[in-house]
Each structure stands twice: as C-alpha cells, then as structure tokens.
Amino acid sequence: MEAGGLPLELWRMILAYLPLPDLGRCSLVCRAWRELILSLDRTRWRQLYLGCAECRHPNWPNQPDVEPESWREAFKQHYLASKTWTKNAAILETSVCFSLFRRRRMRRTLSVGPGHEFHSLGSALAMSSLFDRILLFPGLHEEQGEIILKVPVEIVGHGKLGEVALLASIDQQCSTTRLCNLVFMPAWFSPFMFKTTSGHVQFDNCNFENGHIQVHGPGTCQVKFCSFKNTHVFLHNVPLCVLENCEFVGSENNSVTVEGHPSSENNWAYTHLLGLIRSSPSVLPTEDSDSLMSLDLESRDQAWSPRTCGIVIEGSQSPTSPTTGSPRAGSQEAEVGSNGERVARTPDSSDGGLSPSGEDEDEDQLTYRLSYQVQGPRPVLGGSFLGPPLPGASIQLPSCLVLNSLQQELQKDREAMALASSVQGCLIRKCLFRDGKGGVFVCSYGRAKMEGNIFRNLTYAVRCIHNSKIIMLRNHIHHCRASGIFLRLEGGGLIAGNNICHNAEAGVDIRKKSNPLILCNQIHHGLRSGIVVLGNGKGIIRNNQIFSNKEAGIYILYHGNPVVSRNHIFKGHAAGIAVNENGRGLITENVIRENQWGGVDIRRGGVPILRSNLICFGYSDGVVVGDEGKGLLEGNTIYANKGCGVWMMASSLPHVTSNHVSYNGLYGVAVFSQKDGSGEFPGGHGAQENFSEDGDAILWETELEKDDDPLRRPITIALVESNSVNHNGASGLYIQSSEALHIVTNVIHANRVRGITVAQSSQLTRVANNSISCNRQSGVKIEAQCKVELRGNGIYDNRGHGVITKGDSTVMENDIIGNRGSGLQLLPMSDTKVIKNRIHSFRASGIAVQGHAKALVQENTIFQGRTNKTIFQQSSTNQDCIIQNNRFLVFKKSDTWRLANPPARPHLENSLRGPSAAHGGQKVTAMATRITAHVEGGYHSKRSIFCTIL
C-alpha cells in the first residue's frame, strides 16, 4: 500500500486517530509512510504530548507560549526520561542460577483510595513487589508514620495534577523509585517529604509545598516538570542530579543547596543519567547568532609617523644688533595647518600678541619656502579614530576590539570549552526561580551547572562559596534585591552567555580569592555596578557587554585583582571602570564609551594597568586618576570625550605612556593637585558604599596579598611619556600642580589652545624631548611663579609664540622653529635661562624680552625671521637681561642653514624604552638635519626662495 494512493491531507486525517503504538508500526512500513508519520508533528504528535498526564508543555515554565522545534522529539525525550528509573529492572528481577528458566513477572497495579483495594499507601507498599505500580486516587492521603521504601515501586496520582495530595515523610532505602502526578506536603512530625542516601529517585509532574527534599550521595535524582513552593532541595555529595523544567517559588531560604564534592562512588543510575543528558539538546550555541557591529581592521604597527608641513618665512633687509622693537599689529594671519592647507585665524592676544602679516606688507619682501618634517600623531587604532568624530557616524573598530560570540570564544579557549561541556554534581536547566530569598547555593567544594534558567525577584540568584565551582550558561538573572551572582572564599567556575540585568546590587560580585571566568555575558541596567571585584577577588572578565548600570560597569576595590579584557562597557550612569581602595587589575583591549563619568576612574590607592583600551565618547573625562590613585596607562586610545582625555593628580604618581589622546573636548592631559569634588565619587563611588553581605564593615586590609607585579615599573615622580596628544579642545597638556612632574618624549600636536600650559608648578616640571607642533596658540606657556625646565624639545609651527614664560624657567637645548609669534617671549617678572637653543620665528623676533624680565641668554643660535624684524628684541632699560656668546644668523644669498650637531630635536628613538617601545611597534622618524636655502633672483624679485631638505 502506498501513501500516494490518497491525498496526503486525507491520510493525515486518518492517521490522526491512531494511538502511539500504531503510529510506530505505520512508520516501519516504508520510507513514504515514515515521512508521512513525521509530517504529523504539529497535529497528532502535539496531541499525544499534550494529552499525557505525566508531562507539561516542553517549554514550561519559562516559555510556555513558545512551541518546541519538534513535538515528536519532545515526546521522545520525555518518554526516554520517564523510563530511566527502570533501567536496572533486569538485574533485580533475575537471579544468576535461574535466569534461563524463570519467566519474567508481570507488573501489578495496586489501587489506593476510598472504595479501592487499599486504604493507605503504607498498606499497599506492604503488599507490593518489584516495580509494581501504586495508583493513588483523588483525595488527601495522610500517613501517620514514616514511609520506608524497601522495594522499587512507582507511585502515581490518578487524574489531574492537584487532585491527589500526599502528606507523608518518605525514606527511600531501595535502589530506585518513581513518583508522578502528586502534590507533596510534609507530615506533622517531620519537615522532610522525601530523602534518599544511595538510591535513584525520579519525580515527574509533581508539586512540593512547604517542606524539604534531601538526596545524599551516592544517591541520584531526576526531577522534571515539578513545582516547588517554599520547598528546599538539599543535595549533599551527589555525583549527578538533574533538575529540569521545574519552578521554584517563594523560598524562605535557598531553593536548591548543593553541598560537598561529588561522591566518587556512583550508583547504577549515574551512567544512564549521563547518557540522557548528552543525548538531549544543549543550550550551548552552534552558530554565531549574536548581531555585533561590523568593524574594520586597521594596522597597529606604528604609533608615530612623520608629517610634512610647509612653513613660510619672509624677509627683506639685514637686521642689526639687538635693538628695541615692537610687534606689528594685524587682524588676521595665513596659517599652514597640519594637513598643509592655509588657514586664516585671529591672533590670540592672551599670549602676548603676534606679528602676523597684514595687507600692508611691503611688496619688495622676499618669501622663503622652508620645507621639513615634523613629528605628527598616528593613533594606535586607525579607521574612525584618525579624524574628528562625525555626528551620527558609526564607529569602525579594529578586529582586535570586536566582540566574539560565545561559540567563537569557546572554540578559542579549550579549557573553557571543556568546562562548559562537563557535567558534575547537579545539573539545573530550563528552570524558573522566582519570588523568594535565594536561588541556588553551592558550598563546600560543591559542583553545579545551570543552563537556560530564569532567576527573578529573588534576594540573590546564585551563591558560590568555599572552593565550590559553578557553570552558568545562557541564564536570565534579573530584579534581584541583592547581587545576581555572588562568589566568595575561592569560589570559581564559568559564567558565560548570561543576561544579567535590573539587579539592586552588582550583577556579579567576586570576593575573597574567588576566581571565575566571566565570558560573553550581557550585564546591564543594574541599580549599582555591573561587576564588583573586591577583597582579593580575582577572575577573568572577557568579551562581555556591560552597559547602562547606575554605578561603575566594573568596580575593583580592596585589593581586587581581575583580568579585564575585550569587553564593551558603555552608556553607564557613572564610570566605565572604577578602581579604588587599593584595587588592582589588568585592564586591556576594552571598548569603554559613552559613560556619564570618567571612562576609567582611579582613586584611593587604586593601582591598575590600563593597556590598549579604547576610551571614547564619554560625557566627562576619559581617564581620571584622582586622590592617591596610581597605575600604568599604556597604549590606550582616548578619543572624543567631552571632558579631558586624562585628568590626574601628580601626587598620585601615575605613569601615562604611549597613549593616543585626541579630539577630547577639553585638555588632552590635565594634571592638578586637587579638583573640586575629588573626594566625592560621582554616581555613588564613595566610602559610604556597603560591600558587606551582612551589612557590617569588613576590614579587607587584613587579607592582603603581597605579591609583586612584574608588569609595573615603580616610579617616584608622575610621568607623562611617549604619548600622542593632538586635536584636543583646549591645551594638549595643562599643569596646575604643586608636585613634581616629568613630561617626556610626547608628540603634542594641533590642539585648539596651546601645546603645554603650566599654570601652577611650585615643584619642578621637567619637559624634555617632546615634539610640540601646529597648536592654535603658543607651543608652551609658563605662568608666573612656575618652575619649569624645557630641554631637548622640538617646538614647531605653532600659531602663537613658540614659548611664552612668566615664571622661573630653564629653556635649554631646544629647537624652537617656524612659530607664528616670537620664538621665545619673556614677559615681565619672569626669570629665565635660555641656553644652547636654536630659535627661529615665522614672522616675529627670535627672542622678545618684554619689560623688566630677568634672563640669561647664552650660546643660542637664533635665525632671522622676516627681513623687517629684529632677531632679538628687548627694552633698552632692561639691565637684568644678560646676553652671552649667541649666534645671530641673518639670511643671505646662497646661505645654507644646517641643523646638525645635534640633529633636529626631539631625539625620540633612544627615548622609547621598555614596554612603551615594544608595545605596538612604535617608532619615531627624526627631523631632517640639513636645511639649504637657494636664492633665485635679487631682493626685489617677486619670486620665492625655496629651502629644501637634503
């Protein structure tokens, strides 16, 4: 007989009346019939599944409105699971001697209830044999004494769930048993409704109310489609237990407690349960289903690169010895920017005035074109970070900062994959924990695995303490009244692919030497921090999305020391990462963006390592190093934050090296002695925050780990080293500090105000071997009473003066060339030593001494600026300016000017050292060392004189 004889719809109508055994027989007829039987998935197979009194909807209790992928497969899985308890029947029902002659006994069904064969469960058990079925009819069955199960039996409630209630305390002493379709309540004399110490128990479609269930290893249990109301499941040393599709409601304590290391002694059911787990569908992903940003890869082989600028020098007549002169006022000047374009700007009078070219320039002046190389910035990251931020433009990240899917991360990390695939202790999956105190409590070397569960409206979801290990995959944890996941006392494990949100405390709380792997989670909209690591807590926090939390996305304090890498931390209402109270940590390759406060906030003894992070688009500062904060900031891209790129206190001794700080709204790097509200922690990061689980203060300092970190280089003075600071909204570096500070080998380029502003510096600020170029105003400005040493810097192409000083400063061995104002301007009341510099102004004097400034000008080489400007300008009444052994070079025909012995500054190649040089392959190209001038025509010719680098 062929299926094609009748229309398929007619066949489906006929087969819809067949019972399950007949459907199985029909599927064996031929391939066409088998395909026809399989096509009944949404009709007959669904009907058979939902008509079974021993099971509920396959996606109950979490998604009862979502149909399974296959009703037939769900029915098959339930059928196989319901038969697990009988797998040892052949062993118990046969003997060694007479196995060939004994006939297998048929199972009996014993009825219990009014008007039936037995009036109580106890009397039926007294007459039962191996694997008999005891059927309890509707009603309340109350046992006055403890029920002891000595032979394997099946106890089933007749009718709908809820019609049969059993008030009893059952002690299982046999190898296996099954209880189905019952409502359990504790007897008057004991809170324990069921307990076993060595056998296997299986609960299907039962309700448990106001009692306890206890399973002690090597006993095992299998629980499916059960509801627990204010019931505590206690699992002690269990080798393997499975809780699946269960609901836990209203627990006054923990819903499930897993205590003790899994027993090495396994009962007969262990291998069967393990096989059933492996054959059932897993919640682990097989393909990357996450929608992530598509991002571009950009080369990171260089952090610096040379940029070519054209600079115009004008002149007509030979200057005499230094005489009194005044700068010529003008309204606009033509400027050559970092991209080589000429830009008109209004001079900045706050820097002492400029000498721009006006419309009344003499036509007989010659124009010299001087072309040479200036160190320009190249960010560690390319793509969108090479230019200014564009409104509404998408962020193009390099591939090293793209989030991977959970499957990709597990494929890369074999240890994590092995951990995610392992099953030991208790397996809890597709369960719902709600409206109670605690979800799952794992303690004393316990092992638990949780997959696809929902935890909501609890005090906490999961607690893992005392050397226990948990594996949490694809769970949803939300609206907890405390932390979602809590680990302490060397707890650990894998927390991966979870959605953790809207919790009153931290989404994940790690303390007291706990060391979990936190991977590919979404942790968001918490009422406090996303992840908290404290009290010597550790952990690897990788590839997570942490966003929209009211406090820090990750909060590290009290000697917490995690590894935080490749996370996206964004849109937080406070800092992205906060490191306080002696917190540590390695924070690398994260994207920290769009946070209300600092992208990274370091205070009160925090000593983290920040390396290769992207900190961008924040509504405040990029990195804040506050009171007593320390740490290493290396190789980060700090981009387009509305506040400063880096705000820090010099007394904290931070080490800021090899970072790219660009397009921030205020200063690139700001150094202060104090800041308004620095003692207060925005967004709740203050000393009043309570991290004690019992509400009492904890002295975490008694648990210090005194380990030396080889990644940190100890420093005794705040150090800003080898950074690229460019295109920021105010000065590149702003210093207002009473502490010593070293600013070494940085590229400070094209900032909207000055390159470096020293507003206060009672201790020595040392500025050495920096390239300071193309800034909107002066290259360096030093305010009154500031102590500054400028040595070995190249100060080029700034639109104001090269250096302007009012304070006590030493300017030694610098190249100050091509600036629009004076090369060096000394204002009244300043005390300056100007020694062995090479100075050239674009349109004004090489050195201008205004008023009664005190100065020692010695052994400098000063090039002529415009032909109608003097090389050296000072007041004739100033007796405090000492000029000794200087060379004044006036431009003549066929002159050759050479920057040699030493070559053009700064000399950066030998200054990059240690991790700053090794990280990212940074290399700096030196300035050209020879400038040649070739005159074409006479002084009255309108042609330009071109100077070319050889």
Short mmCIF file of all heavy atoms in Angstrom, two decimals, residues 83-136:
data_model
loop_
_atom_site.label_atom_id
_atom_site.label_comp_id
_atom_site.label_asym_id
_atom_site.label_seq_id
_atom_site.Cartn_x
_atom_site.Cartn_y
_atom_site.Cartn_z
N LYS A 83 11.56 6.55 31.70
CA LYS A 83 11.91 5.15 31.88
C LYS A 83 13.28 4.95 32.51
O LYS A 83 13.73 3.80 32.66
CB LYS A 83 11.88 4.43 30.52
CG LYS A 83 10.54 4.50 29.80
CD LYS A 83 9.42 3.89 30.65
CE LYS A 83 8.08 3.97 29.94
NZ LYS A 83 6.98 3.43 30.78
N THR A 84 13.97 6.04 32.87
CA THR A 84 15.31 5.89 33.43
C THR A 84 15.29 5.05 34.70
O THR A 84 16.20 4.23 34.93
CB THR A 84 15.90 7.28 33.74
OG1 THR A 84 15.91 8.06 32.54
CG2 THR A 84 17.32 7.17 34.28
N TRP A 85 14.28 5.21 35.56
CA TRP A 85 14.26 4.53 36.86
C TRP A 85 14.15 3.01 36.73
O TRP A 85 14.46 2.28 37.68
CB TRP A 85 13.11 5.07 37.71
CG TRP A 85 11.75 4.56 37.29
CD1 TRP A 85 11.03 4.93 36.21
CD2 TRP A 85 10.99 3.58 37.99
NE1 TRP A 85 9.86 4.25 36.15
CE2 TRP A 85 9.80 3.41 37.25
CE3 TRP A 85 11.17 2.82 39.14
CZ2 TRP A 85 8.81 2.52 37.64
CZ3 TRP A 85 10.18 1.94 39.54
CH2 TRP A 85 9.01 1.80 38.79
N THR A 86 13.75 2.51 35.54
CA THR A 86 13.59 1.06 35.35
C THR A 86 14.79 0.42 34.67
O THR A 86 14.74 -0.76 34.32
CB THR A 86 12.34 0.78 34.50
OG1 THR A 86 12.51 1.36 33.20
CG2 THR A 86 11.11 1.37 35.14
N LYS A 87 15.87 1.15 34.44
CA LYS A 87 16.99 0.62 33.68
C LYS A 87 17.69 -0.55 34.39
O LYS A 87 18.38 -1.33 33.75
CB LYS A 87 18.01 1.72 33.40
CG LYS A 87 17.50 2.84 32.50
CD LYS A 87 17.18 2.34 31.11
CE LYS A 87 16.72 3.48 30.21
NZ LYS A 87 16.40 3.00 28.84
N ASN A 88 17.51 -0.68 35.70
CA ASN A 88 18.14 -1.79 36.41
C ASN A 88 17.16 -2.90 36.72
O ASN A 88 17.42 -3.76 37.56
CB ASN A 88 18.77 -1.30 37.72
CG ASN A 88 17.74 -0.87 38.74
OD1 ASN A 88 16.62 -0.51 38.36
ND2 ASN A 88 18.10 -0.94 40.02
N ALA A 89 15.99 -2.90 36.05
CA ALA A 89 14.96 -3.90 36.33
C ALA A 89 15.46 -5.31 36.01
O ALA A 89 15.20 -6.26 36.75
CB ALA A 89 13.69 -3.60 35.54
N ALA A 90 16.17 -5.48 34.91
CA ALA A 90 16.65 -6.82 34.52
C ALA A 90 17.60 -7.39 35.56
O ALA A 90 17.61 -8.60 35.82
CB ALA A 90 17.34 -6.75 33.17
N ILE A 91 18.38 -6.55 36.21
CA ILE A 91 19.33 -7.03 37.22
C ILE A 91 18.60 -7.49 38.46
O ILE A 91 18.91 -8.52 39.05
CB ILE A 91 20.33 -5.91 37.58
CG1 ILE A 91 21.08 -5.48 36.34
CG2 ILE A 91 21.28 -6.34 38.67
CD1 ILE A 91 21.99 -4.28 36.55
N LEU A 92 17.55 -6.74 38.85
CA LEU A 92 16.84 -7.07 40.09
C LEU A 92 15.90 -8.25 39.92
O LEU A 92 15.66 -9.00 40.87
CB LEU A 92 16.06 -5.85 40.57
CG LEU A 92 16.90 -4.65 40.99
CD1 LEU A 92 16.00 -3.49 41.36
CD2 LEU A 92 17.80 -5.02 42.17
N GLU A 93 15.31 -8.46 38.75
CA GLU A 93 14.26 -9.46 38.57
C GLU A 93 14.78 -10.82 38.15
O GLU A 93 14.01 -11.75 37.98
CB GLU A 93 13.24 -8.96 37.54
CG GLU A 93 12.45 -7.76 38.05
CD GLU A 93 11.35 -7.38 37.10
OE1 GLU A 93 11.42 -7.83 35.95
OE2 GLU A 93 10.44 -6.64 37.51
N THR A 94 16.05 -10.96 37.94
CA THR A 94 16.61 -12.26 37.55
C THR A 94 17.69 -12.65 38.53
O THR A 94 18.31 -11.81 39.17
CB THR A 94 17.21 -12.18 36.14
OG1 THR A 94 18.23 -11.18 36.12
CG2 THR A 94 16.15 -11.84 35.11
N SER A 95 17.90 -13.91 38.66
CA SER A 95 18.96 -14.42 39.52
C SER A 95 20.02 -15.07 38.64
O SER A 95 19.78 -15.43 37.50
CB SER A 95 18.42 -15.44 40.53
OG SER A 95 17.92 -16.57 39.84
N VAL A 96 21.17 -15.28 39.20
CA VAL A 96 22.28 -15.83 38.42
C VAL A 96 22.00 -17.29 38.04
O VAL A 96 22.23 -17.73 36.92
CB VAL A 96 23.58 -15.73 39.23
CG1 VAL A 96 24.72 -16.38 38.46
CG2 VAL A 96 23.90 -14.28 39.54
N CYS A 97 21.41 -18.06 38.97
CA CYS A 97 21.27 -19.50 38.73
C CYS A 97 20.10 -19.84 37.82
O CYS A 97 20.16 -20.77 37.03
CB CYS A 97 21.09 -20.24 40.06
SG CYS A 97 22.53 -20.05 41.16
N PHE A 98 18.99 -19.08 37.94
CA PHE A 98 17.78 -19.48 37.25
C PHE A 98 17.34 -18.48 36.19
O PHE A 98 16.19 -18.42 35.81
CB PHE A 98 16.64 -19.66 38.27
CG PHE A 98 16.95 -20.67 39.32
CD1 PHE A 98 17.37 -20.27 40.58
CD2 PHE A 98 16.85 -22.03 39.03
CE1 PHE A 98 17.66 -21.20 41.54
CE2 PHE A 98 17.14 -22.96 40.01
CZ PHE A 98 17.56 -22.56 41.27
N SER A 99 18.28 -17.69 35.70
CA SER A 99 17.91 -16.67 34.72
C SER A 99 17.41 -17.28 33.42
O SER A 99 16.63 -16.68 32.71
CB SER A 99 19.11 -15.76 34.44
OG SER A 99 20.20 -16.53 33.95
N LEU A 100 17.83 -18.53 33.11
CA LEU A 100 17.40 -19.16 31.87
C LEU A 100 16.04 -19.82 31.99
O LEU A 100 15.43 -20.16 30.97
CB LEU A 100 18.43 -20.20 31.43
CG LEU A 100 19.83 -19.65 31.13
CD1 LEU A 100 20.76 -20.81 30.76
CD2 LEU A 100 19.77 -18.64 29.99
N PHE A 101 15.56 -20.03 33.23
CA PHE A 101 14.33 -20.81 33.41
C PHE A 101 13.19 -19.99 33.98
O PHE A 101 12.03 -20.37 33.84
CB PHE A 101 14.60 -21.99 34.36
CG PHE A 101 15.75 -22.82 33.90
CD1 PHE A 101 17.01 -22.70 34.49
CD2 PHE A 101 15.59 -23.74 32.86
CE1 PHE A 101 18.07 -23.47 34.07
CE2 PHE A 101 16.68 -24.50 32.45
CZ PHE A 101 17.92 -24.38 33.04
N ARG A 102 13.55 -18.82 34.63
CA ARG A 102 12.49 -18.03 35.24
C ARG A 102 11.76 -17.22 34.19
O ARG A 102 12.36 -16.69 33.25
CB ARG A 102 13.07 -17.07 36.29
CG ARG A 102 13.56 -17.80 37.54
CD ARG A 102 13.96 -16.80 38.61
NE ARG A 102 12.85 -15.93 38.95
CZ ARG A 102 12.94 -14.92 39.83
NH1 ARG A 102 14.11 -14.67 40.39
NH2 ARG A 102 11.91 -14.17 40.10
N ARG A 103 10.48 -17.11 34.36
CA ARG A 103 9.65 -16.29 33.48
C ARG A 103 9.47 -14.92 34.13
O ARG A 103 9.22 -14.82 35.32
CB ARG A 103 8.29 -16.95 33.28
CG ARG A 103 7.40 -16.19 32.31
CD ARG A 103 6.10 -16.94 32.10
NE ARG A 103 5.24 -16.22 31.20
CZ ARG A 103 4.01 -16.65 30.84
NH1 ARG A 103 3.55 -17.80 31.34
NH2 ARG A 103 3.27 -15.95 30.01
N ARG A 104 9.64 -13.88 33.35
CA ARG A 104 9.54 -12.54 33.89
C ARG A 104 8.14 -12.26 34.40
O ARG A 104 7.16 -12.48 33.71
CB ARG A 104 9.92 -11.50 32.83
CG ARG A 104 9.92 -10.08 33.36
CD ARG A 104 10.59 -9.13 32.39
NE ARG A 104 10.60 -7.77 32.93
CZ ARG A 104 11.23 -6.77 32.36
NH1 ARG A 104 11.91 -6.98 31.24
NH2 ARG A 104 11.17 -5.57 32.89
N ARG A 105 8.07 -11.72 35.65
CA ARG A 105 6.79 -11.47 36.28
C ARG A 105 6.18 -10.18 35.73
O ARG A 105 6.87 -9.21 35.50
CB ARG A 105 7.00 -11.35 37.78
CG ARG A 105 5.72 -11.19 38.58
CD ARG A 105 6.06 -11.01 40.05
NE ARG A 105 6.87 -9.80 40.25
CZ ARG A 105 6.37 -8.58 40.32
NH1 ARG A 105 5.07 -8.41 40.18
NH2 ARG A 105 7.16 -7.55 40.50
N MET A 106 4.88 -10.20 35.53
CA MET A 106 4.18 -9.02 35.06
C MET A 106 4.01 -8.04 36.21
O MET A 106 3.80 -8.42 37.35
CB MET A 106 2.81 -9.40 34.49
CG MET A 106 2.88 -10.33 33.29
SD MET A 106 3.71 -9.55 31.88
CE MET A 106 2.54 -8.22 31.52
N ARG A 107 4.12 -6.72 35.90
CA ARG A 107 3.94 -5.68 36.91
C ARG A 107 2.47 -5.58 37.30
O ARG A 107 1.58 -5.63 36.47
CB ARG A 107 4.42 -4.33 36.38
CG ARG A 107 5.90 -4.23 36.15
CD ARG A 107 6.25 -2.87 35.58
NE ARG A 107 5.83 -1.78 36.48
CZ ARG A 107 5.80 -0.50 36.14
NH1 ARG A 107 6.13 -0.15 34.90
NH2 ARG A 107 5.41 0.42 37.00
N ARG A 108 2.24 -5.42 38.60
CA ARG A 108 0.88 -5.25 39.11
C ARG A 108 0.58 -3.77 39.31
O ARG A 108 1.48 -2.96 39.50
CB ARG A 108 0.69 -5.99 40.43
CG ARG A 108 0.79 -7.51 40.33
CD ARG A 108 0.40 -8.12 41.66
NE ARG A 108 1.29 -7.62 42.74
CZ ARG A 108 0.99 -7.73 44.04
NH1 ARG A 108 -0.14 -8.31 44.42
NH2 ARG A 108 1.82 -7.27 44.94
N THR A 109 -0.69 -3.44 39.31
CA THR A 109 -1.15 -2.10 39.64
C THR A 109 -1.99 -2.19 40.89
O THR A 109 -3.03 -2.88 40.92
CB THR A 109 -1.97 -1.50 38.50
OG1 THR A 109 -1.16 -1.40 37.33
CG2 THR A 109 -2.49 -0.12 38.88
N LEU A 110 -1.58 -1.49 41.95
CA LEU A 110 -2.27 -1.50 43.23
C LEU A 110 -2.98 -0.17 43.40
O LEU A 110 -2.36 0.89 43.31
CB LEU A 110 -1.28 -1.72 44.38
CG LEU A 110 -0.35 -2.94 44.25
CD1 LEU A 110 0.58 -3.03 45.44
CD2 LEU A 110 -1.15 -4.22 44.09
N SER A 111 -4.28 -0.22 43.65
CA SER A 111 -5.10 0.98 43.77
C SER A 111 -5.29 1.35 45.23
O SER A 111 -5.58 0.50 46.07
CB SER A 111 -6.47 0.79 43.11
OG SER A 111 -6.31 0.45 41.74
N VAL A 112 -5.13 2.65 45.50
CA VAL A 112 -5.25 3.16 46.88
C VAL A 112 -6.27 4.29 46.88
O VAL A 112 -6.17 5.25 46.08
CB VAL A 112 -3.90 3.68 47.41
CG1 VAL A 112 -4.04 4.23 48.82
CG2 VAL A 112 -2.87 2.57 47.38
N GLY A 113 -7.24 4.17 47.80
CA GLY A 113 -8.24 5.22 47.93
C GLY A 113 -9.54 4.65 48.45
O GLY A 113 -9.73 3.42 48.49
N PRO A 114 -10.46 5.50 48.84
CA PRO A 114 -11.76 5.02 49.33
C PRO A 114 -12.47 4.19 48.25
O PRO A 114 -12.57 4.61 47.10
CB PRO A 114 -12.53 6.32 49.61
CG PRO A 114 -11.47 7.36 49.83
CD PRO A 114 -10.35 6.97 48.92
N GLY A 115 -12.91 3.01 48.67
CA GLY A 115 -13.61 2.13 47.75
C GLY A 115 -12.71 1.32 46.87
O GLY A 115 -13.18 0.63 45.94
N HIS A 116 -11.39 1.36 47.12
CA HIS A 116 -10.45 0.60 46.30
C HIS A 116 -9.76 -0.45 47.13
O HIS A 116 -10.06 -0.64 48.32
CB HIS A 116 -9.44 1.54 45.65
CG HIS A 116 -10.06 2.44 44.62
ND1 HIS A 116 -10.25 2.07 43.32
CD2 HIS A 116 -10.56 3.71 44.73
CE1 HIS A 116 -10.82 3.06 42.65
NE2 HIS A 116 -11.03 4.07 43.49
N GLU A 117 -8.83 -1.15 46.53
CA GLU A 117 -8.20 -2.32 47.15
C GLU A 117 -7.47 -1.98 48.44
O GLU A 117 -7.54 -2.74 49.41
CB GLU A 117 -7.23 -2.93 46.13
CG GLU A 117 -6.56 -4.21 46.59
CD GLU A 117 -5.61 -4.77 45.54
OE1 GLU A 117 -5.50 -4.16 44.45
OE2 GLU A 117 -4.98 -5.81 45.82
N PHE A 118 -6.79 -0.84 48.50
CA PHE A 118 -6.05 -0.43 49.69
C PHE A 118 -6.52 0.95 50.13
O PHE A 118 -6.87 1.80 49.31
CB PHE A 118 -4.54 -0.40 49.41
CG PHE A 118 -3.98 -1.74 49.03
CD1 PHE A 118 -3.82 -2.09 47.69
CD2 PHE A 118 -3.62 -2.67 50.01
CE1 PHE A 118 -3.31 -3.33 47.33
CE2 PHE A 118 -3.11 -3.91 49.65
CZ PHE A 118 -2.95 -4.25 48.30
N HIS A 119 -6.53 1.14 51.47
CA HIS A 119 -7.00 2.40 52.02
C HIS A 119 -5.86 3.36 52.33
O HIS A 119 -6.12 4.54 52.59
CB HIS A 119 -7.81 2.15 53.31
CG HIS A 119 -9.06 1.39 53.06
ND1 HIS A 119 -10.20 1.97 52.51
CD2 HIS A 119 -9.37 0.08 53.28
CE1 HIS A 119 -11.15 1.06 52.41
NE2 HIS A 119 -10.68 -0.10 52.86
N SER A 120 -4.62 2.87 52.31
CA SER A 120 -3.49 3.76 52.61
C SER A 120 -2.28 3.34 51.77
O SER A 120 -2.19 2.20 51.31
CB SER A 120 -3.12 3.72 54.09
OG SER A 120 -2.61 2.45 54.45
N LEU A 121 -1.39 4.28 51.61
CA LEU A 121 -0.17 4.00 50.86
C LEU A 121 0.68 2.97 51.59
O LEU A 121 1.28 2.09 50.95
CB LEU A 121 0.62 5.29 50.66
CG LEU A 121 1.98 5.17 49.98
CD1 LEU A 121 1.84 4.59 48.57
CD2 LEU A 121 2.68 6.52 49.91
N GLY A 122 0.73 3.05 52.91
CA GLY A 122 1.54 2.10 53.67
C GLY A 122 1.10 0.68 53.49
O GLY A 122 1.93 -0.23 53.33
N SER A 123 -0.22 0.44 53.50
CA SER A 123 -0.71 -0.92 53.31
C SER A 123 -0.44 -1.43 51.90
O SER A 123 -0.16 -2.63 51.70
CB SER A 123 -2.21 -0.97 53.60
OG SER A 123 -2.91 -0.09 52.73
N ALA A 124 -0.50 -0.58 50.91
CA ALA A 124 -0.20 -1.01 49.55
C ALA A 124 1.27 -1.34 49.40
O ALA A 124 1.63 -2.32 48.71
CB ALA A 124 -0.60 0.09 48.56
N LEU A 125 2.14 -0.56 50.03
CA LEU A 125 3.57 -0.84 49.94
C LEU A 125 3.92 -2.16 50.61
O LEU A 125 4.84 -2.87 50.18
CB LEU A 125 4.37 0.30 50.59
CG LEU A 125 4.41 1.62 49.80
CD1 LEU A 125 5.05 2.71 50.65
CD2 LEU A 125 5.18 1.44 48.50
N ALA A 126 3.16 -2.52 51.66
CA ALA A 126 3.44 -3.78 52.35
C ALA A 126 3.16 -4.98 51.46
O ALA A 126 3.77 -6.05 51.64
CB ALA A 126 2.61 -3.87 53.63
N MET A 127 2.30 -4.82 50.48
CA MET A 127 1.94 -5.92 49.60
C MET A 127 2.59 -5.81 48.21
O MET A 127 2.34 -6.65 47.35
CB MET A 127 0.41 -5.95 49.42
CG MET A 127 -0.36 -6.13 50.70
SD MET A 127 0.04 -7.69 51.53
CE MET A 127 -0.55 -8.86 50.30
N SER A 128 3.40 -4.81 48.01
CA SER A 128 3.97 -4.58 46.67
C SER A 128 5.20 -5.43 46.45
O SER A 128 5.87 -5.89 47.39
CB SER A 128 4.33 -3.10 46.51
OG SER A 128 5.34 -2.73 47.43
N SER A 129 5.49 -5.65 45.16
CA SER A 129 6.68 -6.37 44.73
C SER A 129 7.51 -5.45 43.83
O SER A 129 7.18 -4.27 43.63
CB SER A 129 6.29 -7.64 43.98
OG SER A 129 5.55 -8.50 44.81
N LEU A 130 8.56 -6.02 43.25
CA LEU A 130 9.45 -5.21 42.44
C LEU A 130 8.72 -4.54 41.27
O LEU A 130 8.00 -5.19 40.51
CB LEU A 130 10.58 -6.08 41.87
CG LEU A 130 11.55 -6.70 42.90
CD1 LEU A 130 12.55 -7.60 42.19
CD2 LEU A 130 12.25 -5.61 43.66
N PHE A 131 8.90 -3.20 41.19
CA PHE A 131 8.41 -2.39 40.07
C PHE A 131 6.90 -2.41 39.92
O PHE A 131 6.37 -2.18 38.83
CB PHE A 131 9.09 -2.81 38.76
CG PHE A 131 10.57 -2.60 38.78
CD1 PHE A 131 11.43 -3.66 39.04
CD2 PHE A 131 11.11 -1.35 38.56
CE1 PHE A 131 12.80 -3.47 39.08
CE2 PHE A 131 12.48 -1.16 38.60
CZ PHE A 131 13.34 -2.21 38.86
N ASP A 132 6.18 -2.67 41.00
CA ASP A 132 4.73 -2.54 40.94
C ASP A 132 4.34 -1.07 40.83
O ASP A 132 5.08 -0.17 41.24
CB ASP A 132 4.08 -3.16 42.19
CG ASP A 132 4.02 -4.67 42.11
OD1 ASP A 132 4.23 -5.21 41.00
OD2 ASP A 132 3.80 -5.32 43.15
N ARG A 133 3.15 -0.86 40.32
CA ARG A 133 2.63 0.48 40.15
C ARG A 133 1.54 0.71 41.19
O ARG A 133 0.56 -0.04 41.24
CB ARG A 133 2.08 0.65 38.74
CG ARG A 133 1.50 2.03 38.41
CD ARG A 133 0.88 1.97 37.00
NE ARG A 133 0.27 3.22 36.62
CZ ARG A 133 0.87 4.18 35.92
NH1 ARG A 133 2.12 4.00 35.54
NH2 ARG A 133 0.23 5.28 35.59
N ILE A 134 1.71 1.73 42.01
CA ILE A 134 0.73 2.06 43.04
C ILE A 134 0.00 3.32 42.57
O ILE A 134 0.61 4.38 42.39
CB ILE A 134 1.40 2.28 44.39
CG1 ILE A 134 2.10 1.00 44.85
CG2 ILE A 134 0.39 2.73 45.43
CD1 ILE A 134 2.87 1.14 46.13
N LEU A 135 -1.31 3.16 42.40
CA LEU A 135 -2.12 4.24 41.84
C LEU A 135 -2.94 4.88 42.96
O LEU A 135 -3.78 4.22 43.58
CB LEU A 135 -3.04 3.69 40.75
CG LEU A 135 -3.73 4.70 39.84
CD1 LEU A 135 -2.70 5.50 39.05
CD2 LEU A 135 -4.68 3.97 38.89
N LEU A 136 -2.67 6.16 43.25
CA LEU A 136 -3.41 6.89 44.28
C LEU A 136 -4.55 7.66 43.63
O LEU A 136 -4.32 8.48 42.73
CB LEU A 136 -2.48 7.87 45.01
CG LEU A 136 -1.26 7.28 45.73
CD1 LEU A 136 -0.50 8.37 46.46
CD2 LEU A 136 -1.67 6.18 46.69
#
